[in-house]
Amino acid sequence: MNIVVCVKRVPDSSARIKVGADNKSIDPAGVEYVLNPYDEYAVEEALKLKEKAGAGEVTILALGGPESAETIRKALAMGADKGIHLKEGSQGRDFIATAQAIAAELKGRPLDILLFGNKAIDDDGAQVAAMVATLLGIPFVSTITKLELNGRNATAHRPVEGGVEVVEVALPAAFSAQKGLNEPRFASLKGIMAAKKKPLEEKPAVAGEPRLVLVRLDNPPARPVPRIVGTGKDAVPALIKLLREEAKVI
Amino acid sequence: MPGPVVVFVEQRDGKFKRASFEALSEGRRLATALGVPLHAVTAGEGIADAAKELGQYGADAVKVADHAKLKTYANAAYARIVSRQAGSASAVLMSASALGKDLAGHVAAMLGTSVAQDCTELHVEGGQILAKRPVYAGKAYATLAVNGGPMVATLRPNVFKAAAPDASKTVAVENLPLDARDTDFRAVVKEILASASKKIELTEANVIVSGGRGMKGPENWGLITDLAAALGGAAGASRAVVDAGWRPHEEQVGQTGKTVSPTLYIACGVSGAIQHLAGMSSSKFIVAINKDADAPIFKIANYGIVGDVLEVLPALTAEVKKLRE
Ligand SMILES: Cc1cc2nc3c(=O)[nH]c(=O)nc-3n(C[C@H](O)[C@H](O)[C@H](O)COP(=O)(O)OP(=O)(O)OC[C@H]3O[C@@H](n4cnc5c(N)ncnc54)[C@H](O)[C@@H]3O)c2cc1C
Ligand SMILES: Nc1ncnc2c1ncn2[C@@H]1O[C@H](COP(=O)(O)O)[C@@H](O)[C@H]1O
């Protein structure tokens, strides 16, 4: 079974993000980068599927600058077999240009299962996975919390408003991982050592054609000045009055 | 001549979603600003009659793909139908619901374009559509323009205003053929497991009462759900609470949970970690109840009470109930 997991290097979820003076990029000072948290669920699921099947290969694919190699190694340390690094210069990519580069690499490769994170926590898109699947012409199920294989078929759970869709799909297929799918393992020291020797292929990413142009990047709109209404349950009447008369929400 | 603004309208069991009316109303505004028509497109089974209603939200044309195979969501087939209507469109809008977020990527890839996802603002400037959307979990906002082709955008639910329907408006409904390929039905929804309770969906709720580790334990959760019920709202939770197994994943608010934008968000015993704020900081009014006056949640709350949730919540619920009597 050939499983490919797409991973992205993103700022840590607790990073302070400051818009740069150019109003086009973020100020990189002090920002730490990690393997996208949703992609950890995808990697974990791939490893579990391989373990269950007792055979197969898990390939990690990342598109990004030189530092993305580190992100791939993190997934290799968890237990994946090999990595592909689509190297990228400084050019910006939107979702479709990213998807085009990933699809170009995957086209023609043996592939049974393609896994993504639900979204990258930098651009908050949740778009690349559906785009890659569409470009490759394989079916896709997004934001899954459960995946079961049954021969060449898979059943996935996809939470939607007010319920869970049970989706059936034939392989090869793509899925994006939602929190709840599994508990990602930590890389062991042994895993980290082994990852250094695992194959990591580097190649230039094909040029993309971004269709969305960043006009500007701004700080979030300011919130009103916070107000402490009072202490303990005695403050409740004052809060009620504000919610009714000032906010007019109850 | 620029093409129409196309809005995909989502339905479940033959009922159109309020978030889709928000998208339609915003589409109407954009279409007027651009001087182009507004087209509503919807898909499902047995919905042709109900679709007449969409004209009341300002659509100049209503197009319906009505077929048994479209009863439940089939992503590629729905996308095929929408993309066929959107080749020359100025914009393709839909709600950033579970369905809309999924559909948008398929539609865009079929059209060879990208998506402005989860927008909080759209406007027309110099004949061009600009889309504003949160990035880095709301720590920054990007304004985007499209370079050729339609602006495919999803709209964050509860942010855009749905206009009141105008019952005097009638528009003929056009039936679309089932214009999909067999391969578009490879991912098929076999069944929908409905949530056990008939809860209000978090992302659609006007009021959310949300609890954190300060609630001390699952045995106190009734205090959260009582207040939510009294306010006609939904109950949410922090990740700490979900990871502790007190509440299910579907109730988690935040960066790895749901993004919500209610009119009123009441955070109870939630510290206000940056990943929690990521999911709720676009709420209109935020109330925080926390015993620690320095808790970060107070920095973004409109109103705060410093105190023990176990004591404040019953008093608050009692007062709200009094108002409702
Ligand atoms: C990658 C990543 C993703 C994450 N995603 C999310 C996410 O989506 N959503 C999310 O919520 N978190 C998320 N987190 C976790 C986040 O960092 C915090 O750990 C979490 O939000 C804390 O939850 P809490 O506020 O309930 O608990 P705590 O931080 O423990 O806060 C409890 C609060 O309750 C108060 N308190 C205690 N007792 C009382 C009382 N009797 N009365 C009143 N107040 C009381 C305390 O003063 C404290 O402020 C994520 C973390 C990471 C690393
Ligand atoms: N540059 C990238 N390299 C590899 N995978 C990516 C990249 N960007 C996005 N992805 C994958 O697509 C998922 C969704 O990303 P996005 O659509 O950008 O939110 C991520 O969780 C990754 O699995």
Side-chain angles (χ1 to χ4, degrees):
Chain A
M1 189 163 45
N2 286 295
I3 308 175
V4 176
V5 188
C6 294
V7 303
K8 190 179 187 189
R9 179 176 183 269
V10 298
D12 182 75
S13 70
S14 59
R16 288 197 170 279
I17 299 293
K18 272 204 345 235
V19 174
D22 60 353
N23 273 104
K24 290 263 178 176
S25 58
I26 60 164
D27 182 348
V31 176
E32 288 202 30
Y33 286 80
V34 294
L35 167 60
N36 182 40
Y38 285 103
D39 301 351
E40 290 187 22
Y41 300 117
V43 173
E44 175 64 33
E45 198 63 15
L47 298 175
K48 278 175 52 184
L49 287 171
K50 180 185 157 180
E51 284 159 10
K52 209 161 173 197
E57 187 175 58
V58 176
T59 303
I60 305 298
L61 175 69
L63 169 110
E67 306 84 357
S68 291
E70 209 181 293
T71 310
I72 296 174
R73 294 270 180 220
K74 168 104 201 276
L76 296 178
M78 287 171 73
D81 298 299
K82 58 177 201 175
I84 302 171
H85 180 188
L86 301 178
K87 265 195 148 168
E88 163 105 296
S90 56
Q91 113 224 48
R93 278 183 193 258
D94 63 356
F95 304 126
I96 192 70
T98 301
Q100 282 162 348
I102 293 174
E105 174 59 31
L106 293 178
K107 197 125 222 167
R109 263 179 186 275
L111 178 73
D112 299 299
I113 293 182
L114 177 57
L115 288 162
F116 296 86
N118 160 35
K119 65 178 174 187
I121 64 163
D122 52 356
D123 56 37
D124 288 328
Q127 293 303 317
V128 168
M131 290 176 173
V132 173
T134 303
L135 295 174
L136 290 175
I138 61 174
F140 170 59
V141 190
S142 62
T143 55
I144 62 165
T145 53
K146 188 172 172 182
L147 180 61
E148 267 171 9
L149 288 193
N150 177 7
R152 296 297 294 170
N153 289 310
T155 305
H157 280 194
R158 176 173 182 268
V160 296
E161 294 83 2
V164 175
E165 289 178 353
V166 180
V167 189
E168 263 183 30
V169 61
L171 303 186
F175 305 90
S176 71
Q178 172 67 309
K179 179 173 182 278
L181 180 62
N182 54 43
E183 276 307 321
R185 66 195 67 185
F186 289 103
S188 64
L189 192 60
K190 207 173 128 211
I192 295 170
M193 297 310 288
K196 293 187 178 147
K197 300 197 196 82
K198 289 181 178 170
L200 202 176
E201 188 186 347
E202 258 186 23
K203 47 170 77 169
V206 302
E209 289 173 56
R211 300 298 289 273
L212 282 176
V213 184
L214 179 67
V215 178
R216 54 182 294 121
L217 198 62
D218 292 294
N219 288 312
R223 287 206 63 94
V225 181
R227 184 160 7 140
I228 298 292
V229 178
T231 309
K233 67 175 190 298
D234 297 344
V236 165
L239 175 65
I240 293 273
K241 193 166 151 67
L242 284 167
L243 290 176
R244 274 177 70 93
E245 290 169 15
E246 190 178 85
K248 300 191 169 71
V249 291
I250 62 170
Chain B
M1 170 71 195
V5 170
V6 174
V7 176
F8 177 77
V9 177
E10 183 180 341
Q11 56 82 29
R12 174 104 163 257
D13 299 329
K15 261 198 73 179
F16 298 111
K17 291 211 163 178
R18 193 185 66 167
S20 289
F21 294 144
E22 293 167 10
L24 260 184
S25 303
E26 183 62 16
R28 179 66 264 166
R29 225 178 46 78
L30 289 186
T32 304
L34 291 166
V36 300
L38 174 68
H39 292 181
V41 176
T42 186
E45 186 193 19
I47 55 165
D49 220 34
K52 289 180 190 143
E53 182 191 356
L54 304 181
Q56 300 179 6
Y57 290 88
D60 298 305
V62 175
K63 305 180 180 208
V64 183
D66 195 324
H67 196 279
K69 287 179 94 171
L70 302 173
K71 181 170 168 55
T72 53
Y73 180 49
N75 49 21
Y78 274 46
R80 190 78 58 194
I81 288 160
V82 177
S83 61
R84 290 243 157 94
Q85 297 305 315
S88 65
S90 305
V92 182
L93 310 182
M94 57 197 86
S95 157
S97 59
L99 187 155
K101 283 181 183 170
D102 183 276
L103 179 63
H106 290 89
V107 170
M110 285 176 186
L111 296 171
T113 191
S114 199
V115 175
Q117 162 83 315
D118 209 18
C119 296
T120 53
E121 200 183 309
L122 293 170
H123 63 270
V124 175
E125 210 174 278
Q128 194 183 31
I129 300 174
L130 296 181
K132 193 166 184 176
R133 61 178 297 259
V135 288
Y136 301 101
K139 294 176 210 169
Y141 278 68
T143 301
L144 303 163
V146 69
N147 173 14
M151 167 67 85
V152 180
T154 66
L155 278 57
R156 180 174 285 191
N158 260 344
V159 170
F160 296 85
K161 224 172 124 53
D166 177 354
S168 71
K169 283 196 75 177
T170 50
V171 180
V173 172
E174 179 190 335
N175 280 305
L176 298 175
L178 178 64
D179 220 352
R181 306 172 186 168
D182 285 346
T183 52
D184 292 337
F185 292 96
R186 286 176 301 183
V188 182
V189 178
K190 282 289 166 199
E191 177 185 10
I192 300 177
L193 311 172
S195 293
S197 51
K198 280 260 169 279
K199 280 181 300 198
I200 302 173
E201 168 59 29
L202 267 184
T203 52
E204 295 168 354
N206 236 321
V207 176
I208 294 174
V209 182
S210 152
R213 195 143 48 188
M215 292 304 298
K216 300 290 190 229
E219 66 280 6
N220 295 323
W221 217 256
L223 297 177
I224 297 286
T225 49
D226 281 354
L227 180 58
L231 290 165
S238 74
R239 175 164 176 168
V241 157
V242 170
D243 287 355
W246 301 356
R247 301 303 307 163
H249 287 291
E250 67 197 51
E251 290 183 13
Q252 184 184 317
V253 172
Q255 189 153 32
T256 43
K258 292 197 167 142
T259 305
V260 298
S261 259
T263 309
L264 176 60
Y265 188 93
I266 307 183
C268 310
V270 173
S271 60
I274 199 154
Q275 298 95 344
H276 189 82
L277 305 187
M280 45 66 77
S281 61
S282 68
S283 305
K284 274 163 218 100
F285 286 90
I286 298 171
V287 171
I289 307 167
N290 196 302
K291 68 172 188 194
D292 173 9
D294 294 326
I297 190 77
F298 285 126
K299 293 205 176 72
I300 66 148
N302 299 71
Y303 311 124
I305 293 182
V306 179
D308 185 344
V309 278
L310 303 183
E311 180 195 313
V312 175
L313 274 176
L316 185 53
T317 306
E319 286 290 325
V320 170
K321 280 190 178 152
K322 250 194 257 163
L323 285 178
R324 298 281 146 114
E325 269 161 18

